[in-house]
Amino acid sequence: MAQIDIQFSNSMIESFFHQLKNHDLYFRDIHILPVLADHIDFYVYEHNEVIPFLALGGATPLKAYISPGSVIVNKVKYQEITKAAIQNRIQFHRSLTCPFC
């Protein structure tokens, strides 16, 4: 489990490699090294600059690194937005009329 508040832990990099393997590489049929390098480069870019993380308040790792103070404020907003989205999804599914349910 990644622990973001501990400076000396290697669990964050272990978590990254776990995600890389389980979300990307295990689903590919890779036989040559350049193709593997391309997939890893793409995943590193996506992980650092595109995919938002709840632990970072909905920020990407790059954004959290550049402006760490905004992560705390965004985390509260992100949690509120997430709770509202969950409630909206529940209400939407309850409003559907299903002949099988």
Side-chain angles (χ1 to χ4, degrees), residues 39-50:
H39 284 293
I40 291 173
D41 287 343
F42 175 77
Y43 189 80
V44 169
Y45 171 78
E46 291 285 312
H47 181 272
N48 290 333
E49 299 184 30
V50 177

Side-chain angles (χ1 to χ4, degrees), residues 61-82:
L62 180 64
K63 186 175 181 181
Y65 180 75
I66 292 171
S67 59
S70 67
V71 171
I72 296 169
V73 174
N74 289 339
K75 191 171 185 177
V76 173
K77 291 179 184 177
Y78 192 74
Q79 289 172 343
E80 292 172 0
I81 292 170
T82 302

Side-chain angles (χ1 to χ4, degrees), residues 1-83:
M1 189 93 173
Q3 299 176 5
I4 60 174
D5 296 328
I6 298 175
Q7 296 293 326
F8 55 88
S9 174
N10 67 347
S11 61
M12 291 178 70
I13 194 67
E14 288 177 7
S15 173
F16 169 78
F17 282 118
H18 174 78
Q19 291 176 31
L20 170 65
K21 291 185 293 185
N22 289 305
H23 295 182
D24 192 55
L25 296 181
Y26 286 159
F27 298 106
R28 313 250 184 232
D29 190 23
I30 300 171
H31 296 289
I32 56 174
L33 194 59
V35 173
L36 175 64
D38 289 343
H39 284 293
I40 291 173
D41 287 343
F42 175 77
Y43 189 80
V44 169
Y45 171 78
E46 291 285 312
H47 181 272
N48 290 333
E49 299 184 30
V50 177
I51 301 171
F53 288 87
L54 180 60
L56 299 175
T60 63
L62 180 64
K63 186 175 181 181
Y65 180 75
I66 292 171
S67 59
S70 67
V71 171
I72 296 169
V73 174
N74 289 339
K75 191 171 185 177
V76 173
K77 291 179 184 177
Y78 192 74
Q79 289 172 343
E80 292 172 0
I81 292 170
T82 302
K83 287 180 185 178

